[in-house]
Structure formats: C-alpha cells, structure tokens
Amino acid sequence: MRYFIGRFLFKLVDRYPVVGWIIGMIGLGLLISGTLQLRGFQHIRDEGVSAQGSILAITGEENESGEITYTFDAAGRHYTGHSDVGVPEHARLKVGDAVSVKYLANDPGQSVTGASWPILANGLILGGSVFLLLSFSFTIRRRRLRNQAA
C-alpha cells in the first residue's frame, strides 16, 4: 500500500509540480504552528506562577498517553485546565492526586501541570518535518529526471 501511495504521489508531482510546493507549504505551516505551541508551553513552564491543584479526571487508555483535567485556585478564582500526559504519568496519576500547576499571572486560564507533555506540538513538528522532506524529495526527483532527459 505504501509503495502504491508513493508512486501515486511521485506521478502526481511529475505531472503537476505545484502539488510538491503545496505539500511543502503545508509542512512549513505545521512546523511553524508546532513550534509556536511549544514556545507557548515552555513560556508558561518557565515564567508561570506556581500553584497547587488537584486532578478531576483522567481520560485515555491505560497503557497510552492521555489527558488530565485539573483544578486550581489563582487570584481568588477557581480555574480548570486540561493537559496531555505521557504514558508513565498516565499510569502513575489518579483522580484526586495533588498536582503542581504553573499559570500565567496575567491570564490564569493559560496553565500547565508538572506532568504535562506537549503531545500536539510535538506531533505538529513531526508532521511538518515529514511533509517538508516529502517536498524536498519531489524536488530532487524532478531535477534528476530533468537532467536525465537533457
């Protein structure tokens, strides 16, 4: 199946070179989006105000990464947040457990936990890299074919 998809894409790009550029632009967009999300995550983690929270819910399969819903108090108000967690944290955490929370002082709705893991940001960066590599491979193949024809 992979061989069929690869051949199909190469033939499509050979006939319509703009498809290769579109794939490259999609890859670049995913890469930029993932990088910005990762920078936001790191900003909250580095510059955020610490608070103590507790886990309200845990979703996801037992041996996979999951999502936690947590609550914390900041500036006299009650906030609820959601964070992705990796497999080890997912196995270790239980509903009602205390969790350390970092939030932005000027926007407490933006928060992460000590157990948080930026799964979406990493996925976007990986996907963007794959799309960019595909675009580069299409360009290299087209140049090789053009040089062979000359």
Side-chain angles (χ1 to χ4, degrees):
M1 182 71 174
R2 276 189 308 199
Y3 181 71
F4 173 75
I5 293 171
R7 282 183 48 162
F8 171 75
L9 283 175
F10 277 117
K11 285 184 179 186
L12 183 67
V13 172
D14 286 345
R15 179 171 253 164
Y16 306 105
V18 73
V19 172
W21 287 102
I22 291 170
I23 290 172
M25 291 298 117
I26 291 170
L28 189 60
L30 290 173
L31 198 59
I32 290 170
S33 176
T35 303
L36 291 174
Q37 284 192 7
L38 191 59
R39 285 183 64 196
F41 179 84
Q42 290 294 358
H43 175 69
I44 295 170
R45 192 170 257 184
D46 294 342
E47 304 295 326
V49 177
S50 294
Q52 193 67 19
S54 64
I55 298 176
L56 296 176
I58 302 173
T59 58
E61 296 297 320
E62 190 171 320
N63 293 325
E64 295 179 2
S65 58
E67 182 181 71
I68 60 171
T69 302
Y70 56 93
T71 184
F72 65 99
D73 293 323
R77 291 190 58 199
H78 195 66
Y79 290 92
T80 301
H82 305 276
S83 287
D84 293 323
V85 291
V87 176
E89 295 83 8
H90 189 226
R92 178 178 50 84
L93 296 171
K94 306 287 181 243
V95 173
D97 283 355
V99 64
S100 62
V101 177
K102 290 251 184 156
Y103 64 90
L104 294 178
N106 59 349
D107 184 9
Q110 298 288 322
S111 64
V112 297
T113 68
S116 296
W117 188 251
I119 294 172
L120 177 62
N122 290 334
L124 289 172
I125 290 171
L126 178 64
S129 300
V130 168
F131 272 71
L132 279 176
L133 287 173
L134 270 174
S135 178
F136 291 144
S137 69
F138 294 148
T139 302
I140 290 169
R141 183 170 189 273
R142 282 189 51 77
R143 288 189 181 183
R144 282 187 184 164
L145 290 175
R146 196 178 313 145
N147 289 341
Q148 286 176 356

